[in-house]
Amino acid sequence: MSLRPKDLRLDTVYRREELLAQGMHRRHFASAAMRRVLPGWWVRAEADVSLRQLAAIVQSRLRPGTVISHESAAELFGFPLPRQLTYAGGAPIHCRGLSRDIGISLWADV
């Protein structure tokens, strides 16, 4: 039996490659049952993923050596921001590398 979206936990962010290795069919990633939250990282569509969870993945797995910066850092520290500048409002997750030339913004599908 193959792995299906309903078999996944709601509080967990999964790596696409790991799901495929566990038997999930590629068609599930194109369905309404799954949602991409970072490049290569997926959740069940109804999952509520926090900025803190995604920032931890960015820093530990996706872009090791970076720090969360700009509006994303302000949001994590609890500073009030206009909704459009927040993760929930569709803003990218900002992170910066130790070298000036690798600053990136990662868009998540909200």
Side-chain angles (χ1 to χ4, degrees), residues 30-68:
S31 75
M34 296 291 289
R35 178 170 53 103
R36 186 180 73 98
V37 292
L38 289 169
W41 294 84
W42 294 76
V43 296
R44 285 177 49 181
E46 64 272 20
D48 186 23
V49 182
S50 72
L51 175 59
R52 189 167 303 282
Q53 281 179 286
L54 297 179
I57 291 170
V58 168
Q59 290 183 292
S60 66
R61 307 279 304 271
L62 195 58
R63 298 279 192 239
T66 60
V67 295
I68 303 303

